[in-house]
Amino acid sequence: EAGVAQSPRYKIIEKRQSVAFWCNPISGHATLYWYQQILGQGPKLLIQFQNNGVVDDSQLPKDRFSAERLKGVDSTLKIQPAKLEDSAVYLCASSPPVNSPNEKLFFGSGTQLSVL
Amino acid sequence: SQQGEEDPQALSIQEGENATMNCSYKTSINNLQWYRQNSGRGLVHLILIRSNEREKHSGRLRVTLDTSKKSSSLLITASRAADTASYFCATGVANSGGYQKVTFGTGTKLQVIP
């Protein structure tokens, strides 16, 4: 079974530039999550999709961050313009439905973003 | 916002000893999950305990859950150097749509000294 794919692995940009991250979840997983993890902290949920609809984006800085999940499969997360404090690892995860035998989160390898 | 607070923040033990990490959370949950992370990259699921369960085992891992105290603990027995990593608890809250919101704690950094 293929895992969650993310790209790029690393990205270095200057502040005020824009950047986009891509995620391909495990086939059949309707739920997709984007987390931001700042060094030394736990992952913070930015946005959660159920199929192609947003079910939680309460912690997404909407003035600069946007995300979409077209056709309920792949997803992209964009930052425009980036700030220094956006330097973090961006993690994508997917999961099967609640109460299924394997209702855990499957994570990709993450994208490490450095904003200079 | 972080749902879970973990204690201790860092733990250093000798190989062969047991490691215990604690997690406290704030709201009602459907399940509590533990994840491991090496080198600050992708997290790996270790074990899930549902709100109607009190204890669960998986290999060298033992998890307990006390919903009345809103707390959980993860015990790793007979630790190995390869267990060195950060460990996170995460709370799962389900809704009627059949999906869950998973919120992570602050993490415990475990170092196992050979």
Side-chain angles (χ1 to χ4, degrees), chain A residues 27-71:
Chain A
S27 177
H29 283 188
T31 311
L32 185 147
Y33 310 77
W34 282 103
Y35 288 88
Q36 178 194 59
Q37 187 177 23
I38 292 172
L39 187 64
Q41 299 181 17
K44 181 180 89 170
L45 180 66
L46 292 177
I47 189 167
Q48 180 176 345
F49 292 92
Q50 182 71 4
N51 296 308
N52 60 344
V54 175
V55 296
D56 191 313
D57 62 357
S58 56
Q59 297 195 89
L60 186 75
K62 298 180 186 62
D63 57 333
R64 299 184 300 106
F65 286 65
S66 64
E68 60 181 8
R69 189 183 184 196
L70 298 176
K71 301 180 182 178

Side-chain angles (χ1 to χ4, degrees), chain B residues 64-77:
Chain B
T64 61
L65 178 64
D66 187 334
T67 53
S68 66
K69 295 181 179 179
K70 290 186 170 59
S71 67
S72 174
S73 67
L74 171 68
L75 169 68
I76 304 174
T77 59

Side-chain angles (χ1 to χ4, degrees), chain A residues 9-10 31 33 35 37 42-43 48 50 55-56 59 91 97-99 103-105 107-110, chain B residues 1-2 31 33 35 37 40-43 45 48 50 88 94 97-102 104-106:
Chain A
R9 290 293 297 272
Y10 304 90
T31 311
Y33 310 77
Y35 288 88
Q37 187 177 23
Q48 180 176 345
Q50 182 71 4
V55 296
D56 191 313
Q59 297 195 89
L91 296 161
V98 173
N99 295 325
E103 63 171 304
K104 61 187 182 183
L105 267 60
F107 279 88
S109 298
Chain B
S1 61
Q2 303 287 155
N31 63 63
Q33 307 171 36
Y35 289 81
Q37 184 178 43
R41 302 311 293 268
L43 286 82
H45 181 268
L48 179 150
R50 300 186 190 281
F88 294 90
Y99 55 87
Q100 58 175 336
K101 179 175 180 177
V102 179
F104 284 81
T106 51

